[in-house]
C-alpha cells in the first residue's frame, strides 16, 4: 500500500501543477471541435435550436407547440416539448446570431461543469481548485457532458442548480432553485425526495410553490400555450419519443429494447423501478442515520440515480450526474473502502468508451425497438453500473 501511494502522489502533484494548462487545452479543443463541426456539417446544437425557436415563437402567442426545427442533415422535425415557462426563459436567445449563442452557451456550460465539481468538493469538506480543473478538463470529453455540448442541452446548468440547492442551508434558495429548474425541465423535481429524506420540509414545500409559480407566470403571460401544454402537449410529447433508442438509459428504454416493443407502463417496468426504489432506500439508510451524520452528497446522488432509472426517458445527456458521482467515489469519505476506487475509475472508463453511442451505430432507426439480443442487453450498461453502485453503498454501509 505504501509503495502504491508513493507512486500515486507524484502523479497527482504533476496533474495539479499542469491543471491550468490541461484545462485550457481541453477547453480550446472542445470549443474548436464542436464549433468546427457545426460550421462544416450543421448537425450540431439541435436542442439549442429548439430553445431558440421556442423563445421566438412567443412573439406569436398560441404557436409555441406548432413550430419545428428541421435538422438540415437528417431532415427530422424537432418540436418544442418543454413547459411554456422554459420558452420565456429562452426568449432572449433569438435576439442574437446563432453562432454567437452556440459559442457563449458552451462557455457557460464549461463554467457550470467546473462549478459542479467545486460544489461536489465543498460537500466533501473542500478540495483544491486545481484538482477541480483536472476533473473539468476530463469531464468535457465524457459521454454525458460531451452530448450536452453537441446538442446544446441545458442539463449541466440544471445539475449545477440542484447541487447548489442541496448544498445551501437556506430553505427559500433551495426551494426556488428546484422549483424554477422543474419549471424549465421536469427532471430537477426528483430532488424533492432528497429534501423529504433530509427532513427539509420548508425547502420541499417551497420548491412545489415555486414550481406552480412558474406555471402561473406562464399561464398569465401565455394562456393558450400553457393550456395546451398541461396536460395534452406534455402527454403527447411522451408518446412520440423514441424510448427504444440506445441513448435512452432508463428502465423503460432498457426493457423495451429487450422485449422488442414499448414496455411501459407495464408490470415488468414497474417491478424493476420498485426494486430500484428499495435499493435506493437501503443505500440512503447506509449513508447515515441522521441529518447531522449523513453523507449529503452521497444521499443526493442515490436519489438522482433513482430518478434517472425510473424516468420514462433518460437520454445520455441526462447522466451528467456521473461527474459528481465519480468525485464522490474517488475523493469522498468512503474513498478508502474496498471497491470505491474500482467503481470510480470504472465509471470513468464507461463514460470514455461511450457504449450507448457505440450501440446507436447498430440501430438504423431510433424508433425501432428490435435488435439482436446481445445488443439489447448491452443497452442496460448505465443501469447495471448504477445498480452495482447502489449495492456497493448498501454493503459498505453495513460494514462501516
Amino acid at each position: 500500500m505504501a509503495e502504491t501511494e508513493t507512486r500515486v502522489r507524484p502523479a497527482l502533484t504533476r496533474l495539479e501543477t499542469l491543471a491550468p494548462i490541461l484545462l485550457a487545452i481541453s477547453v480550446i479543443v472542445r470549443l474548436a471541435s464542436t464549433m468546427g463541426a457545426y460550421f462544416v456539417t450543421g448537425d450540431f446544437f439541435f436542442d439549442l435550436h429548439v430553445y431558440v425557436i421556442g423563445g421566438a415563437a412567443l412573439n406569436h402567442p398560441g404557436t409555441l407547440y406548432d413550430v419545428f426545427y428541421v435538422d438540415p442533415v437528417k431532415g427530422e422535425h424537432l418540436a418544442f416539448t418543454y413547459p411554456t415557462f422554459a420558452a420565456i426563459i429562452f426568449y432572449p436567445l433569438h435576439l442574437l446570431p446563432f453562432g454567437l449563442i452556440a459559442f457563449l452557451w458552451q462557455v457557460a456550460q464549461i463554467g457550470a461543469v467546473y462549478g459542479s465539481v467545486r460544489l461536489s468538493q465543498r460537500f466533501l469538506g473542500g478540495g483544491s481548485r486545481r484538482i477541480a480543473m483536472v476533473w473539468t478538463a476530463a469531464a468535457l470529453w465524457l459521454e454525458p457532458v460531451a452530448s450536452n455540448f453537441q446538442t446544446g442541452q441545458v442539463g449541466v446548468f440544471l445539475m449545477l442548480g440542484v447541487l447548489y440547492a442541496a448544498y445551501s442551508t437556506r430553505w427559500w434558495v433551495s426551494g426556488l432553485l428546484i422549483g424554477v429548474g422543474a419549471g424549465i425541465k421536469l427532471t430537477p423535481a426528483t430532488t424533492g425526495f432528497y429534501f423529504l429524506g433530509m427532513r427539509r420540509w420548508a425547502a420541499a414545500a417551497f420548491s412545489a410553490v415555486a414550481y406552480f409559480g412558474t406555471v402561473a407566470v406562464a399561464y398569465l403571460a401565455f394562456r393558450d400555450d400553457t393550456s395546451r401544454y398541461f396536460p395534452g402537449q406534455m402527454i403527447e410529447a411522451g408518446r412520440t419519443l423514441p424510448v427504444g433508442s440506445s441513448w435512452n438509459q432508463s428502465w423503460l428504454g432498457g426493457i423495451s429494447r429487450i422485449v422488442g416493443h414499448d414496455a411501459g407502463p407495464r408490470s415488468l417496468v414497474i417491478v424493476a423501478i420498485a426494486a430500484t426504489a428499495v435499493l435506493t432506500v437501503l443505500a440512503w439508510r447506509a449513508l447515515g442515520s441522521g441529518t447531522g451524520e449523513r453523507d449529503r452528497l452521497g444521499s443526493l446522488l442515490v436519489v438522482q440515480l433513482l430518478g434517472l432509472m425510473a424516468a420514462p426517458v433518460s437520454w445520455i445527456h441526462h447522466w451528467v450526474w456521473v461527474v459528481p458521482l465519480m468525485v464522490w467515489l474517488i475523493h469522498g469519505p468512503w474513498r478508502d473502502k474496498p471497491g470505491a476506487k474500482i467503481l470510480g475509475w470504472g465509471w470513468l472508463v464507461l463514460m470514455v468508451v461511450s457504449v450507448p453511442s457505440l450501440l446507436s451505430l447498430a440501430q438504423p432507426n431510433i424508433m425501432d425497438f428490435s435488435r439482436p439480443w446481445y445488443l439489447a442487453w448491452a443497452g442496460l450498461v448505465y443501469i447495471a453500473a448504477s445498480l452495482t453502485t447502489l449495492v456497493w453503498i448498501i454493503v459498505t454501509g453495513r460494514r462501516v
Side-chain angles (χ1 to χ4, degrees):
M1 180 65 71
E3 293 181 0
T4 302
E5 291 182 356
T6 302
R7 291 194 300 269
V8 169
R9 285 177 182 173
L12 291 176
T13 302
R14 286 195 295 271
L15 277 178
E16 287 191 77
T17 302
L18 297 172
I21 298 174
L22 293 174
L23 179 58
I25 293 173
S26 181
V27 168
I28 292 171
V29 176
R30 173 81 272 171
L31 292 174
S33 61
T34 310
M35 294 301 297
Y38 166 70
F39 285 117
V40 171
T41 68
D43 190 26
F44 273 69
F45 308 124
F46 46 84
D47 281 323
L48 185 55
H49 274 292
V50 171
Y51 300 159
V52 172
I53 65 165
L58 296 182
N59 289 321
H60 306 281
T63 66
L64 178 59
Y65 299 106
D66 296 321
V67 297
F68 294 90
Y69 168 67
V70 181
D71 190 319
V73 176
K74 300 176 183 177
E76 297 176 352
H77 288 61
L78 304 175
F80 189 87
T81 59
Y82 300 85
T84 308
F85 180 76
I88 296 174
I89 298 298
F90 297 141
Y91 180 81
L93 295 179
H94 82 283
L95 302 176
L96 297 174
F98 186 81
L100 178 60
I101 294 171
F103 178 78
L104 294 177
W105 190 269
Q106 290 184 94
V107 172
Q109 284 180 313
I110 293 167
V113 173
Y114 176 78
S116 298
V117 175
R118 287 294 289 158
L119 274 173
S120 300
Q121 291 178 320
R122 290 188 180 185
F123 270 109
L124 302 177
S128 74
R129 289 185 174 86
R130 287 178 177 262
I131 290 296
M133 291 179 185
V134 174
W135 272 110
T136 304
L140 299 184
W141 301 95
L142 303 183
E143 185 174 41
V145 179
S147 177
N148 271 267
F149 276 83
Q150 293 163 2
T151 60
Q153 258 290 340
V154 73
V156 292
F157 302 124
L158 296 178
M159 177 176 67
L160 178 63
V162 170
L163 281 167
Y164 193 80
Y167 180 76
S168 175
T169 58
R170 291 172 291 182
W171 61 269
W172 65 272
V173 171
S174 301
L176 183 65
L177 284 170
I178 298 304
V180 172
I184 296 172
K185 192 172 183 178
L186 292 175
T187 50
T190 306
T191 313
F193 292 110
Y194 171 81
F195 289 152
L196 295 175
M198 295 294 290
R199 298 186 177 91
R200 297 188 60 183
W201 314 120
F206 192 63
S207 66
V209 171
Y211 170 72
F212 286 110
T214 67
V215 177
V217 168
Y219 183 78
L220 291 173
F222 301 97
R223 180 175 300 183
D224 292 341
D225 291 309
T226 306
S227 299
R228 285 183 63 184
Y229 183 79
F230 295 105
Q233 194 65 34
M234 182 170 61
I235 296 173
E236 183 61 27
R239 290 173 178 169
T240 59
L241 292 173
V243 296
S245 168
S246 63
W247 290 312
N248 179 18
Q249 288 293 302
S250 69
W251 269 122
L252 175 58
I255 293 175
S256 296
R257 289 187 292 270
I258 291 172
V259 300
H261 57 80
D262 189 339
R266 293 183 175 87
S267 58
L268 191 57
V269 176
I270 294 173
V271 168
I273 294 174
T276 305
V278 171
L279 288 177
T280 302
V281 171
L282 293 175
W284 177 279
R285 294 181 61 185
L287 288 164
S289 57
T291 55
E293 304 171 1
R294 174 163 296 281
D295 184 328
R296 292 195 298 155
L297 180 57
S299 299
L300 177 64
L301 291 171
V302 298
V303 170
Q304 299 302 326
L305 288 178
L306 172 63
L308 288 166
M309 289 185 280
V313 171
S314 288
W315 305 125
I316 53 175
H317 58 71
H318 292 170
W319 285 81
V320 288
W321 283 99
V322 300
V323 176
L325 176 61
M326 290 185 294
V327 172
W328 180 76
L329 286 166
I330 294 174
H331 301 291
W334 288 3
R335 61 185 178 276
D336 294 325
K337 302 301 178 184
K341 294 293 192 298
I342 294 175
L343 272 175
W345 295 113
W347 272 107
L348 182 64
V349 171
L350 184 62
M351 295 300 105
V352 171
V353 174
S354 306
V355 176
S357 294
L358 291 176
L359 292 174
S360 71
L361 300 176
Q363 60 178 19
N365 187 338
I366 61 174
M367 301 298 293
D368 188 11
F369 291 94
S370 62
R371 65 203 68 205
W373 67 268
Y374 50 88
L375 294 180
W377 283 94
L380 293 174
V381 58
Y382 280 16
I383 296 173
S386 299
L387 295 177
T388 301
T389 302
L390 292 177
V391 170
W392 176 81
I393 291 172
I394 296 168
V395 174
T396 303
R398 289 181 177 178
R399 290 174 179 171
V400 172

